[in-house]
Amino acid sequence: MSQARTKIFLSGPFQIICDDGRDATPRGTKAKALLALVLLSKNTVRSRVWIQDRLWSSSAPAQGASSLRKELSVLTKHFGKFGLDFLDIDRETVSINLDALEVDLFDEQLLPDRAELLEGLDVADPEFEDWLTVERQAYWDIDTGEDIPGGLPFQPRVPSQWGRQRPTVMVEQMEQVGSDAELDIAASSIHDELMFLLGTLSDVIELRDASRQEGPVEGYILSGRVIIGASGLRVSAQLTSSLDKTCLWAGRFRFRAQDTFNAVEEISMQVVQALQLNLRDGHWSDIWSSRATSTEIWTAFQQGRIQESHTTQDGLVRAIQQYETCLALDDGYLPAHVAIGFCQLDMIRLGMDTTPEQTLKQVISTCQTLRASHPSDPYCAALEAFTLNVAGETEEACRLMQKVLERFQNSPELLGYHAGLLGYDDQLAGEIALCRQALALTPHPPIWIEANLAMALALSGDQSAWRHAHNVLRVSPGSVRARVVLCVLSAEANNLSLARRHAHRILDLQPGFTSLNWAWPNCFKNPDHYSWVANLLRVAGL
């Protein structure tokens, strides 16, 4: 799990926020300007002479050098009070160590409504003002497609260890054993189908084609071989870590000659399911992959899963639409029925549903039908548990979920579900422990688990909530849940400008969000949890 980092905001007012929420922003205008000059350099290093010319251009050289020395001394003492050591100063240069920081311009998506670069930073020096004008122009030109002479003055420089990034998967061409013409067609077809199906998961997997890849890849390599013999087609595939060459999964497939080309989709789907099982979705992947279905339904379901993971109102609505597409093609496709139920409950739990009682009745009816026809399915049981929670019967929901976990102890999703129910039942320590256990089960766990962990830590007064919320935003900048956590923590720390910044982004992501509809009060056994968040969101202007 990544270490906590100090956060620097360059968009909007200049701010430095420690990992524990303390505001370490220097008071002096020139101190802020000096740090901005270094951060927006090509390699986060500037010569002292260059900085002096931008901040004390009208002073004599000796006087300017003396002013710079004093400013650097003040900054060093200031950061020392917070235990921060990212500023490196030597006789000729001033540099900043990015490994110890998170900078908003470098690690979060810049949206069209972004705030002004270094808003309100007014330094009475024409050289600095000229520099800032150019930087702001370049900043606003991002994503316009226009060419900027010399390129952008700043580029994303995100250390690979920051956050829980999408797993990178490189698909190699299938090795062919033999020289049969059909062998070449089969190998090419399997590779193309794998690229297509993996492409549907672009929000959760970074896909690379080995034939177009230059240089090594830190991630996973999907390779295999195809053999055609008298008995038909034989295919082997394996998923290997590029770092330590560990084989995460290997599979073999045999098909009769007449099944060769019909088998392409089946092989590809099984490979992708195995990849998700080992890297991301754990037992949940096993559950839905065991349901025989067509590629069309499978693809629609995957798109629904991606939309659902965003946990915004629009995302949940689109996810339901995708799952309904699955059911229009196959009304008996159980994973889609279960997923719709969870989406509807999420809209209630997250305060998005305008008719929660009516929707809850609908989900209860669906759940009863599913449980009657699939009594041993763990996800049907989990759906029932959450209907009980939303109905205010959280203790019974926890008991039901505990029974499910007795059978599936190594499922990150089911552990995450149980953790959430424990939190609603006022068992925050249990929720935190189970969330951490779930996060350790797979190398790239579902991001909603860490978002829930951040909220549980915030409710329990643990300052590591800051770190986990930022982890979520690095992987999923559109996470409303993580923004709510940071908004609440900022308001509690009396950092109202930062709280309002997060409140603004919450409204961008979910128009109509208010402090009262941040969650469904009936879910909480301890009403103080709901009220604490609601009151702080109100302070932030929501």
Side-chain angles (χ1 to χ4, degrees), residues 471-486:
N471 282 349
V472 173
L473 289 183
R474 282 194 295 275
V475 180
S476 180
S479 172
V480 174
R481 189 75 164 177
R483 292 281 179 187
V484 168
V485 172
L486 292 173

Side-chain angles (χ1 to χ4, degrees), residues 300-362:
F301 184 80
Q302 292 301 319
Q303 289 298 321
R305 288 278 286 164
I306 290 171
Q307 293 296 335
E308 183 181 353
S309 69
H310 296 162
T311 62
T312 62
Q313 185 168 359
D314 287 344
L316 290 170
V317 169
R318 287 193 293 267
I320 290 174
Q321 292 171 347
Q322 288 295 126
Y323 298 141
E324 288 175 341
T325 297
C326 296
L327 296 179
L329 298 169
D330 179 3
D331 186 56
Y333 190 53
L334 178 62
H337 283 291
V338 173
I340 288 175
F342 272 114
C343 286
Q344 291 172 325
L345 290 179
D346 280 347
M347 293 189 72
I348 297 174
R349 291 189 307 109
L350 300 177
M352 303 170 186
D353 197 305
T354 56
T355 57
E357 293 86 358
Q358 179 180 337
T359 302
L360 179 57
K361 290 180 180 178
Q362 179 183 343

Side-chain angles (χ1 to χ4, degrees), residues 105-106 108-112 114 117 135-146 148 152-156:
L105 264 61
F106 302 163
E108 291 184 10
Q109 295 178 353
L110 296 176
L111 303 177
R114 56 188 175 270
L117 181 70
E135 294 291 322
R136 284 174 173 166
Q137 183 63 47
Y139 173 64
W140 281 98
D141 281 345
I142 293 176
D143 295 330
T144 64
E146 299 178 9
I148 301 173
L152 294 176
F154 47 86
Q155 298 291 344

Side-chain angles (χ1 to χ4, degrees), residues 6 51 53 79 83 110 131 140 156 161 189 191 195 229 290 311-312 326 339 348 397 400 427 471 483 503 531 539:
T6 296
I51 296 173
D53 287 344
F79 288 138
L110 296 176
W131 169 85
W140 281 98
Q161 71 270 20
S189 297
H191 176 271
M195 293 297 295
S290 64
T311 62
T312 62
C326 296
I348 297 174
L400 176 57
Q427 301 183 54
N471 282 349
R483 292 281 179 187
S531 300
V539 169

Side-chain angles (χ1 to χ4, degrees), residues 219-235:
Y220 307 92
I221 300 171
L222 189 57
S223 59
R225 58 169 53 188
V226 182
I227 303 172
I228 290 183
S231 59
L233 175 71
R234 287 183 292 161
V235 178

Side-chain angles (χ1 to χ4, degrees), residues 289-448:
S289 67
S290 64
R291 317 288 172 177
T293 188
S294 67
T295 304
E296 184 178 5
I297 295 174
W298 187 91
T299 302
F301 184 80
Q302 292 301 319
Q303 289 298 321
R305 288 278 286 164
I306 290 171
Q307 293 296 335
E308 183 181 353
S309 69
H310 296 162
T311 62
T312 62
Q313 185 168 359
D314 287 344
L316 290 170
V317 169
R318 287 193 293 267
I320 290 174
Q321 292 171 347
Q322 288 295 126
Y323 298 141
E324 288 175 341
T325 297
C326 296
L327 296 179
L329 298 169
D330 179 3
D331 186 56
Y333 190 53
L334 178 62
H337 283 291
V338 173
I340 288 175
F342 272 114
C343 286
Q344 291 172 325
L345 290 179
D346 280 347
M347 293 189 72
I348 297 174
R349 291 189 307 109
L350 300 177
M352 303 170 186
D353 197 305
T354 56
T355 57
E357 293 86 358
Q358 179 180 337
T359 302
L360 179 57
K361 290 180 180 178
Q362 179 183 343
V363 179
I364 290 174
S365 176
T366 299
C367 188
Q368 289 173 343
T369 301
L370 296 177
R371 286 285 278 161
S373 55
H374 302 86
S376 62
D377 188 285
Y379 283 88
C380 289
L383 181 62
E384 181 182 0
F386 274 92
T387 61
L388 290 169
N389 165 239
V390 175
E393 302 176 39
T394 303
E395 288 186 20
E396 180 60 30
C398 290
R399 283 193 289 269
L400 176 57
M401 204 64 217
Q402 180 60 50
K403 292 180 181 178
V404 174
L405 284 179
E406 290 173 0
R407 297 167 50 212
F408 303 99
Q409 300 177 9
N410 295 319
S411 166
E413 297 74 23
L414 294 175
L415 280 172
Y417 290 163
H418 192 206
L421 291 172
L422 289 177
Y424 282 129
D425 197 44
D426 199 18
Q427 301 183 54
L428 291 177
E431 179 182 15
I432 291 168
L434 281 189
C435 280
R436 286 173 170 160
Q437 183 180 345
L439 291 173
L441 286 175
T442 59
H444 304 277
I447 197 63
W448 60 265

Side-chain angles (χ1 to χ4, degrees), residues 13 22 71 75 119 207 209 249 255 263 279 328 405 461 465 468 476 500 504 506 519 529 532:
R22 291 178 298 163
E71 200 68 61
L75 272 175
E119 179 183 321
L207 182 62
D209 187 336
W249 168 86
F255 299 92
L279 297 187
L405 284 179
H468 289 287
S476 180
R500 293 189 183 106
H504 179 70
I506 290 170
H529 291 171
W532 181 76

